[in-house]
């Protein structure tokens, strides 16, 4: 199947996967050369996804191949962890994400970033008639925001002049080099890592930059917590790093600096690219669908018009949570953008024990399973004929 894949890579790989999946009724086996890591089952059947993500979830961990590929960058963080390690991190993060203090922190940080940095940068580009890369701007916005949430520090990526931040550059390079491992034969990238060549050399140097930043933040935070007094409790930080620093592992010991570093790097990866990619596609779709843009603006103006006269003058561009909840059309447009262009188009699992998907596909122990979220959202069988791939491109 390698020639077919090579042909698909010349265009849009996700479109190629979608076309094959539709022809194969939702699931197909991909066979690559024996020396590659391309032998897997690819599926976009909702029944199969429910089976591997819910019904038989313990039987489908990320697996050794995935962990081995991303370990240098992500370590034992939530993206690469399985079993108890994953469950413990997810439970702790979930509790924190739903806390009132954490929500207040994220609201305040986003408000500050949007009004004090994003809008001035956009206004400056208008005043100077300068072209800007919107995806880069949004990446800087989400990177600053997620660093505040994960580490409790502000790297300052989104500022006038758009400066290059060493940690942000190192993180970007490390992420790109890690992704390239998935399309490189395992034996080849491991040889390159051993010889310190090509992308593996770039990855090593980038990870050094990431680690240097993380170690400094962890060291500084430990000093802050060691001198914290009782009076400081009310104003204590609520970022992910601080939360995990105050917890203990299964042996009752504080988490190691390496584990704290892994947690924060994973959450930065989770919050940076996903949000910025989603917003980039959303504004790209709006640009091609002015009627949708008009309806969103009309909905926003209606909510502003419902405010009391004094509040309308105070801060017309700041919206309270209860106002945002009324923006049904905006929510629908964002959801539609995510259906068409999901932030994670495909994901990876591995089979622990022999199993069988609801569609009848037999999967043996050790089989890699790729579930294609991009294809699932564009399959007319699942979304309805009115939302087939060709029509959705026009409708957005």
């Amino acid at each position: 199947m390698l020639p077919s894949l090579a042909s698909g890579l010349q265009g849009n790989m996700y479109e190629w996967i979608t076309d094959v999946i539709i022809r194969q009724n939702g699931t197909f086996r991909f066979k690559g050369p024996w020396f590659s890591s391309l032998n897997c089952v690819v599926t976009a059947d909702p029944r199969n996804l429910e089976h591997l993500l819910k019904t038989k979830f313990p039987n489908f961990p990320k697996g050794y191949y995935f962990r081995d590929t991303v370990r240098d960058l992500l370590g034992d963080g939530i993206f690469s962890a399985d079993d108890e390690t994953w469950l413990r991190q997810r439970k702790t993060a979930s509790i924190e994400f739903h806390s009132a203090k954490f929500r207040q922190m994220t609201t305040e940080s986003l408000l500050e970033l949007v009004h004090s940095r994003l809008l001035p940068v956009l206004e400056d580009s208008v005043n100077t008639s300068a072209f800007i890369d919107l995806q880069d701007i949004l990446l800087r916005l989400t990177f600053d925001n997620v660093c505040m949430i994960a580490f409790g520090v502000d790297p300052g990526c989104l500022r006038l002049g758009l400066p290059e931040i060493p940690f942000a550059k190192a993180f970007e390079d490390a992420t790109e080099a890690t992704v390239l491992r998935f399309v490189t034969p395992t034996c080849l990238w491991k040889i390159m890592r051993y010889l310190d060549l090509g992308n593996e050399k770039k990855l090593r140097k980038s990870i050094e930059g990431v680690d240097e930043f993380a170690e400094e933040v962890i060291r500084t935070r430990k000093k802050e917590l060691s001198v914290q007094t009782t009076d400081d409790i009310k104003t204590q930080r609520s970022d992910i790093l601080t939360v995990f620093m105050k917890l203990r592992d299964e042996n009752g010991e504080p988490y190691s600096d390496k584990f704290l570093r892994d947690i924060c790097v994973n959450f930065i990866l989770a919050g940076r690219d996903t949000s910025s990619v989603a917003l980039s596609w959303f504004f790209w779709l709006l640009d091609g669908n002015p009627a949708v843009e008009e309806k969103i603006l009309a909905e926003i103006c209606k909510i502003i018009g419902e405010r009391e006269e004094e509040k309308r003058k105070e801060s017309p561009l700041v919206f309270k949570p209860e106002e945002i909840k009324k923006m049904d059309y905006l929510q629908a447009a964002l959801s539609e953008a995510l259906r068409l262009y999901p932030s994670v188009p495909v994901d990876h699992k591995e089979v622990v024990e022999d199993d069988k998907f609801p569609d009848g596909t037999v999967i043996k122990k050790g089989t890699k399973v790729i579930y294609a979220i991009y294809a699932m959202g564009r399959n007319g069988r699942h979304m309805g004929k009115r939302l087939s791939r060709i029509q959705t491109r026009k409708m957005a």
Side-chain angles (χ1 to χ4, degrees), residues 96-156:
E96 181 61 21
F97 286 164
H98 287 86
S99 70
K101 192 168 186 177
F102 184 85
R103 289 187 176 186
Q104 182 182 356
M105 180 189 72
T106 54
T107 300
E108 290 174 352
S109 67
L110 269 175
L111 193 65
E112 170 70 18
L113 285 170
V114 169
H115 289 271
S116 299
R117 300 193 193 174
L118 176 62
L119 295 182
V121 167
L122 296 178
E123 186 177 3
D124 180 68
S125 72
V126 173
N127 294 335
T128 59
S129 299
F131 287 101
I132 57 169
D133 182 343
L134 184 60
Q135 186 170 358
D136 176 56
I137 298 294
L138 294 171
L139 271 170
R140 290 169 178 270
L141 170 70
T142 55
F143 190 77
D144 282 352
N145 184 53
V146 77
C147 280
M148 293 177 185
I149 293 171
F151 282 120
V153 296
D154 177 11

Side-chain angles (χ1 to χ4, degrees), residues 43-54 371-373 376:
T43 185
D45 190 315
R47 297 170 299 171
N48 295 347
L49 266 69
E50 182 179 27
H51 184 80
L52 70 90
L53 294 175
K54 181 182 177 183
Y371 57 99
I373 303 166
M376 187 171 67

Side-chain angles (χ1 to χ4, degrees), residues 2 5 30-40 65 181-188 368:
L2 194 59
L5 175 62
F30 186 90
K31 292 188 178 294
W34 64 269
F35 57 82
S36 73
S37 55
L38 296 175
N39 294 289
C40 57
Y65 166 74
R181 284 182 172 182
F182 285 97
V183 293
T184 306
T186 303
C187 59
L188 180 57
K368 290 191 285 291

Side-chain angles (χ1 to χ4, degrees), residues 267-287:
F267 277 103
I268 288 174
L269 181 64
R272 171 183 178 266
D273 293 73
T274 50
S275 301
S276 61
V277 166
L279 288 170
S280 297
W281 280 118
F282 173 69
F283 286 114
W284 181 79
L285 287 167
L286 278 189
D287 183 61

Side-chain angles (χ1 to χ4, degrees), residues 241-291:
L241 176 60
T242 303
V243 170
F244 274 92
M245 273 186 171
K246 296 178 179 179
L247 299 177
R248 296 292 183 268
D249 61 19
E250 61 274 15
N251 299 317
E253 299 292 329
Y255 287 115
S256 66
D257 288 358
K258 170 67 168 59
F259 187 72
L260 293 171
R261 173 266 184 207
D262 292 347
I263 288 171
C264 292
V265 168
N266 276 256
F267 277 103
I268 288 174
L269 181 64
R272 171 183 178 266
D273 293 73
T274 50
S275 301
S276 61
V277 166
L279 288 170
S280 297
W281 280 118
F282 173 69
F283 286 114
W284 181 79
L285 287 167
L286 278 189
D287 183 61
N289 294 269

